[in-house]
Amino acid sequence: MRFEDIWIAGTGGTLGDLVPVEKAIEDGSYAPEVAESTGVVSVSQSTAAPPEMAVTAGQQAIKEAAERGVEIGPDTYYLHSHSHFQGLDMWPAACWIARELIGTRLRGMPVAVAAASNGSLASLEMAAGALVARPELPNALITIADRFAPPTDRWYLSPGMVFGDGAAAAVVSRGGGRLRLVSLVSETDTSLEGLSRGNEPFGTVPQIQPDMRKRTREFLAGGEVSLREVRARSADGVRSVVTRALDEAGVAMSAIDWYATPFVGRALYRDSFVRPLTQTPRNTLAGLGLTIGHLGPADQLYGLSYLLKEDLLQPGARVLLLGTGMGFTFSAAVLAADDV
């Protein structure tokens, strides 16, 4: 979908301590040959619970938006996304975060967005769509946060990446801001859903540490979809959403200044997000990802916050965001640094 007056008025992001990968190699948590393959040099590890990190990032985004005259209040549409444990079982984390950031009385309902690692773009799509469809909404606030602390094994939770702790936030508004959302599209290929399910029967209690690698092996062993087909379907999904987003934005890939994808390891980044495309922008955030790890669904919004805070966007610069998530979902968005 193409958007005419949807803006990101403020962003925020927070991380834990950046722990060198050598420490994990020394204590036996991570194999040196795997570290060589992924290229990860450090990973964010936080002692704060995800909702606490979400509040920190949200406060930054709210402050930045307020400097541009965008005020968060009880009518704000609020979304919180995560892919992992939020600190308490059977607890509405979004409501607590909303209380901390907005107040005790909201004229609406906090929404939890469950889109696995595609939470940044899923939340942005929902917020933008709500502002287009509902003129009574003044703006929207998005927070995203995850922590992959023990007993979760952040080093081997999923092949080709290391999971880092962190949060990101954005205030989405009309009438101007720091970045204009030009287009955003999503697609889903449910034939790849089994990659994260395997042959496991549905249970009655949550697993402390799901074996995602085992599930992937089981799915491929079933023969429904071969590894070659998985790669082809994934490449098709990336190609399709990127092509559609660029077409709807009316820009060529050569006009894109920055490319922000999930923060995965070097080999997985190349195979999943570079090779499927005939051309990619010269400026990417892949290097940033190798220093902080995969933040679950927060990668893309954290990347936008990083670009703005480090003053890396020239006036008129365009950013291509790519999101993927288990299920299997694909999203792409084009944003412009029009800054009005």
Side-chain angles (χ1 to χ4, degrees), residues 118-296:
N118 205 1
S120 277
L121 288 174
S123 298
L124 183 56
E125 185 172 39
M126 291 177 65
L131 292 180
V132 169
R134 299 175 56 186
E136 79 278 9
L137 293 177
N139 46 52
L141 171 65
I142 299 168
T143 61
I144 303 177
D146 268 318
R147 178 176 63 174
F148 302 91
T152 299
D153 185 353
R154 69 172 74 248
W155 303 100
Y156 291 107
L157 183 57
S158 188
M161 66 189 83
V162 177
F163 284 71
D165 306 335
V171 173
V172 185
S173 65
R174 306 182 193 87
R178 303 203 67 185
L179 289 167
R180 180 169 61 90
L181 178 62
V182 184
S183 67
L184 197 163
V185 301
S186 294
E187 297 180 6
T188 302
D189 186 344
T190 59
S191 71
L192 304 181
E193 166 274 328
L195 285 167
S196 53
R197 177 175 47 85
N199 293 334
E200 291 185 25
F202 296 123
T204 58
V205 296
Q207 290 181 297
I208 294 177
Q209 171 64 21
D211 191 338
M212 305 305 293
R213 291 168 177 260
K214 176 175 176 287
R215 292 179 181 180
T216 298
R217 290 195 300 269
E218 289 175 346
F219 175 71
L220 293 174
E224 182 178 342
V225 181
S226 68
L227 178 58
R228 182 176 181 179
E229 289 173 313
V230 167
R231 290 170 173 165
R233 287 177 179 270
S234 296
D236 287 343
V238 167
R239 239 184 333 265
S240 181
V241 293
V242 167
T243 300
R244 289 177 56 204
L246 292 174
D247 287 347
E248 295 193 15
V251 299
M253 182 68 84
S254 58
I256 298 296
D257 299 283
W258 284 89
Y259 184 39
T261 73
F263 294 151
V264 298
R266 184 170 50 204
L268 186 58
Y269 169 78
R270 181 181 62 248
D271 292 343
S272 300
F273 309 133
V274 175
R275 285 182 175 169
L277 305 175
T278 57
Q279 180 184 6
T280 55
R282 66 179 179 278
N283 297 315
T284 80
L285 292 178
L288 171 66
L290 297 180
T291 67
I292 64 178
H294 177 45
L295 306 178

Side-chain angles (χ1 to χ4, degrees), residues 319-330:
V319 181
L320 174 62
L321 301 183
L322 176 67
T324 62
M326 292 185 300
F328 213 94
T329 67
F330 305 87

